[in-house]
């Protein structure tokens, strides 16, 4: 009897192993198909070419943002998805106005031009510009040390990104408060303006814009805020050591125009077995206005579209409903992300997984996940499938701004993690342009995303799929 | 008694664990120091700036190659190493001569200019150039299919690098024979010339040169060989389908000048405990002449120099003798690599490890190793120390051309493996220039190399150090 039990057990075990090996083999073949299709006949780079070179920068509320909505909607329709629609959302409209101008004045007639750009959301200077003495500080906390000295001055935030941090997003995270909240903080001490060192490791002449907020400051207390290039920041800091009472002049013509209507662009392949379970893949369609937004986040947009195209191209019919969501207004309001989540939650849609690509179109290294232990263990079990593609990074961590509002219940959020070394060289600057995206790197990212979405679709996510798992 | 044994064993085991943990902690602190020093006050990028922008392309036998020898020797001397010397080596001297010229002629007066570059080692055309009909083939094996049709024609090798291979070096390996041996093979069938599609994934206007050989073909059978840009290769292939009898014209003024004297540049920190054990780290000082050789292999040169500088900077005194070797003539002869090995072997120097960086200055992903099982197991045990730096790739595989000749006995050879996606966009082309090297990516490579050399120095390599291990 015992022998029979052992034999039966062995057979069962073998059958289960064979079945498992069969699955692994099927998965690795499918994943190889995705990479082949992305690298040999990919569409992502062509889409990005159009988005970057035929459309260009896509600031929320701009005509270009609307052109991007129409272009991507038409392209998704051409893919033959089950549904494509626009989701209306009100977004803030801010305009830069005429080109900014700035200089350092060290004496009568002794001026040095400075490359400057208004921060997104900043008020303008008076039409004649603003000229004042400068106080350099090393971040917001440092204001406290100079509080008696701030009134009537332009505060110059010059804390650099830490070069020793390996992941550049960490270095960015350690400095971005001076850009986002620096004006609010300095205004409270009586500063008349704020200039910020651009958030980039690279010492060059390009100023980097980005969002800022005045918090609850009343309108009449709001002071104009701008970024200067890292090269100019180094120069200004050096020259201030020689001449503390130099003056800085700048002129901004930016303007806040209230809210206007815009759209998230959404496409869906409806699931064949569990159409009520949703998996989202997305990036954001808006960008800053200085470059053409190729890395931030044209790359994420076209990679997300490519995920659904690669499913079609390779004949994969998802069990669950896969949505590509091209979010509007990540950069200066997150209205698109909030709107998508609001509607999904109000309809009680069961979102099990969302993946965002918003860290540039560089060589993918892996993903970071917001997941519980069981979910993460399941995801980690897929790691070997990615090894042939040099995808090694599976860690817990933040996902993406646009999908953040979807967090509720058991949903797993994920972010594509490309190599980050060059990202901030281009981020929000005039150099975020098409020629800085490498075709293969972009395509590898798209294939990597497709492979993950395929696995999530095929196996579902633990914890959430108790019902559907029973059916399997 | 048994209890005492168990207790004694537990104590011993704990002591050993504590010692091991202490080592791991010491190693991770030291490695963090290397990365910090490389990223915060690195020298590699400044050296590369000089090598690329003040010197430039460094073809073997050129004045620039000699300038590079003198510059790097002086810089190594400034580091305060224990020894710096030049190792003489005879190298082939080949010159490109006047700028190449080529066009496609589809009818009287109907010509289209083509971007062309002589392959290194090619003979010239006659002074008036060469004009003939073209036969397109898909690699050397394909010649057989057209053998009756080759005589009097220019053979056009147009096999593209396979885009679906993840590691671009594999795709390169699958095509490089048409560049290296294509002329020899085609000449045997009576071809009058050879043009080769540039070895790059990118479709652009830059032709990529590289070494070629006529094998044992007598001088009067040698035919001129050149590369055309991928864009021109696509164009020529397309237009050939419309007009099979079009003519291709090209003019090369290249010349082989025999051998001239040059040098490997070598610096050494002599080991404090085992000075007779040598560890080599290096790259090659020569480059092709079209760009400034920043990625191939200026990056490897300055990273290797930086390894010894980082040891000095962080106060690490190696137990074993660490040599930086800047090899001459990797590109068209490998004379430097052969000479270094010849002398090392003739002196019976005990080389235990050699590391080459010759795959570009891109974000490091890890290393490939030529090692036996025990050696590789030892190396793999260090992997966790590299994880904080996103170094995941430890695989067996080829190392580097220059250190290959050192292979003898138990030596372990290793190659730095940076991200390879963009490498062949620049390789041997006019676009291999300084601005395509990212400072942080270069520095991360140098720190990664330093960390590996540190571990090899500290622990030695299994199998080889039976004697020294006894002393420990």
């Amino acid at each position: 009897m015992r022998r029979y039990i052992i034999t039966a057990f062995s057979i069962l075990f073998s059958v289960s192993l064979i079945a498992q090996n069969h699955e692994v083999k099927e998965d690795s073949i499918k994943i190889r198909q995705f990479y082949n299709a992305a690298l040999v006949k990919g569409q992502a780079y062509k889409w990005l070419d159009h988005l970057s070179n035929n459309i260009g920068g896509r600031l929320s509320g701009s005509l270009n943002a609307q052109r991007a909505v129409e272009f991507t909607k038409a392209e998704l329709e051409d893919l033959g998805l089950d549904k494509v629609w626009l989701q209306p959302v009100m977004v803030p409209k801010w305009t830069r106005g005429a080109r900014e101008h700035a200089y350092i004045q060290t004496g009568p007639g002794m001026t040095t031009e400075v490359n400057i750009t208004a921060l997104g959301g900043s008020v303008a200077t008076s039409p004649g510009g603003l000229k004042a003495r400068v106080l350099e500080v090393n971040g917001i906390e440092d204001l406290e040390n100079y509080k008696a000295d701030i009134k009537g001055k332009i505060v110059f935030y010059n804390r650099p990104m830490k070069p020793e941090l390996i992941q550049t997003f960490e270095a960015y995270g350690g400095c971005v408060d001076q850009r986002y909240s620096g004006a609010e903080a300095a205004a409270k001490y009586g500063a008349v303006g704020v200039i910020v060192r651009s958030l980039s490791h690279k010492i060059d002449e390009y100023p980097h814009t980005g969002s800022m907020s005045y918090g609850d400051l009343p309108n009449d207390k709001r002071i104009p805020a701008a970024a200067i290039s890292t090269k100019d920041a180094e120069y200004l800091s050096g020259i201030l050591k020689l001449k503390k009472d130099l003056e800085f002049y700048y002129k901004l013509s930016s303007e806040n125009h209230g809210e206007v209507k815009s759209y998230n662009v959404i496409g869906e392949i409806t699931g064949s077995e569990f159409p009520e379970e949703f998996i989202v893949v997305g990036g954001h369609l808006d960008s800053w206005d200085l470059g053409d937004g190729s890395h931030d986040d044209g790359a994420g947009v076209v990679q997300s579209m490519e995920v659904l195209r690669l499913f079609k191209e390779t004949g994969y019919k998802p069990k669950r409903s896969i949505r590509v969501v091209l979010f509007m207004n990540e950069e200066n309001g997150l209205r698109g992300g909030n709107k998508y989540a609001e509607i999904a939650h109000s309809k009680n849609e069961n979102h099990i997984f969302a993946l965002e690509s918003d860290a540039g179109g560089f060589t993918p290294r892996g993903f970071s996940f917001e997941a519980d232990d069981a979910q993460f263990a399941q995801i980690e079990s897929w790691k070997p499938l990615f090894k042939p593609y040099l995808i090694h990074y599976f860690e817990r961590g933040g996902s993406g701004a646009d999908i953040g509002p979807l967090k509720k219940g058991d949903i797993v959020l994920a972010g594509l993690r490309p190599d980050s070394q060059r990202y901030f060289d281009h981020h929000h600057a005039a150099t975020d342009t098409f020629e800085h995206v490498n075709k293969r790197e972009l395509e590898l990212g798209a294939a990597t995303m497709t492979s993950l979405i395929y696995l999530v679709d095929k196996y579902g996510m633990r914890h959430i799929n108790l019902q559907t798992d029973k059916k399997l």
Side-chain angles (χ1 to χ4, degrees), chain A residues 121-124 180 183-184 187-188 212-218 221-225 256:
Chain A
S122 175
V123 296
Y180 190 77
E184 180 188 6
K188 287 178 178 165
M212 57 84 64
S213 162
Y214 293 108
D216 54 8
L217 271 189
K221 299 282 182 206
R222 298 182 174 196
I223 58 178
N256 286 298

Side-chain angles (χ1 to χ4, degrees), chain A residues 50 87 161 179 196 253 275 452 464:
Chain A
H50 188 93
Q87 185 173 65
M161 284 169 67
R179 188 197 76 206
V196 185
S253 315
L452 179 66
I464 330 182

Side-chain angles (χ1 to χ4, degrees), chain A residues 30-304:
Chain A
K30 200 71 209 164
I31 288 174
R32 183 71 253 184
Q33 282 178 15
F34 296 142
Y35 277 90
N36 283 358
L39 290 165
V40 177
K41 39 189 176 173
Q43 185 65 30
Y45 195 65
K46 287 179 198 164
W47 278 328
L48 187 64
D49 187 2
H50 188 93
L51 207 54
S52 298
N53 291 322
N54 295 64
I55 296 178
R58 303 169 293 280
L59 192 53
S60 290
S62 66
L63 289 173
N64 264 2
Q66 185 56 27
R67 291 173 71 205
V69 165
E70 287 167 15
F71 167 67
T72 51
K73 177 168 179 277
E75 291 296 315
L76 290 177
E77 281 165 348
D78 275 358
L79 294 184
L81 306 182
D82 296 309
K83 294 179 205 162
V84 175
W85 72 100
L86 299 183
Q87 185 173 65
V89 55
M90 296 302 290
V91 298
K93 179 173 175 178
W94 174 86
T95 54
R96 181 171 303 284
R99 190 167 172 177
E100 299 94 338
H101 178 209
Y103 58 79
I104 296 163
Q105 181 154 13
T106 52
M110 296 162 73
T111 59
T112 306
E113 298 285 318
V114 165
N115 291 315
I116 197 165
T117 190
L119 296 182
S122 175
V123 296
T125 59
S126 66
L130 168 67
K131 194 194 269 190
R133 284 174 58 184
V134 174
L135 180 78
E136 176 178 342
V137 296
N138 186 32
I140 289 178
E141 306 71 39
D142 201 21
L143 286 176
E144 183 68 19
N145 304 321
Y146 297 94
K147 56 185 171 186
D149 209 26
I150 295 173
K151 203 171 160 60
K153 294 217 179 75
I154 294 167
V155 166
F156 166 35
Y157 289 103
N158 193 29
R159 181 196 281 173
M161 284 169 67
K162 284 188 179 174
E164 66 269 33
L165 296 174
I166 306 300
Q167 307 216 45
T168 58
F169 282 87
E170 275 188 52
Y172 178 73
C175 287
V176 69
D177 63 337
Q178 57 189 7
R179 188 197 76 206
Y180 190 77
S181 305
E184 180 188 6
K188 287 178 178 165
Y189 288 107
V192 294
V194 154
I195 50 177
V196 185
R197 177 194 183 95
S198 284
L199 294 177
S200 168
H201 281 301
K202 197 171 180 183
I203 305 297
D204 67 16
E205 64 255 44
Y206 297 98
H208 296 232
T209 189
S211 64
M212 57 84 64
S213 162
Y214 293 108
D216 54 8
L217 271 189
N219 278 343
D220 63 334
K221 299 282 182 206
R222 298 182 174 196
I223 58 178
I228 63 174
S229 75
T230 49
K231 199 167 165 178
D232 287 321
E234 293 280 300
Y235 175 76
L236 177 58
S237 180
I239 209 82
L240 270 171
K241 289 182 182 66
L242 295 178
K243 189 155 177 66
K244 226 181 148 183
D245 63 349
L246 63 76
E247 288 186 303
F248 190 92
Y249 168 88
Y250 66 120
K251 182 181 164 184
L252 312 180
S253 315
S254 43
E255 202 175 343
N256 286 298
H257 301 267
E259 296 189 353
V260 297
K261 191 173 176 182
S262 187
Y263 304 93
N264 292 328
V265 181
I266 309 177
E268 179 183 304
I269 301 176
T270 305
S272 58
E273 289 187 41
F274 314 115
E276 305 300 317
E277 286 188 19
F278 295 95
I279 297 171
V280 162
V281 57
H284 64 85
L285 201 48
D286 65 307
S287 78
W288 284 106
D289 55 333
L290 299 177
D292 61 32
S294 283
H295 276 298
D296 187 12
D297 183 24
V301 164
V302 299
Q303 286 173 327
S304 300

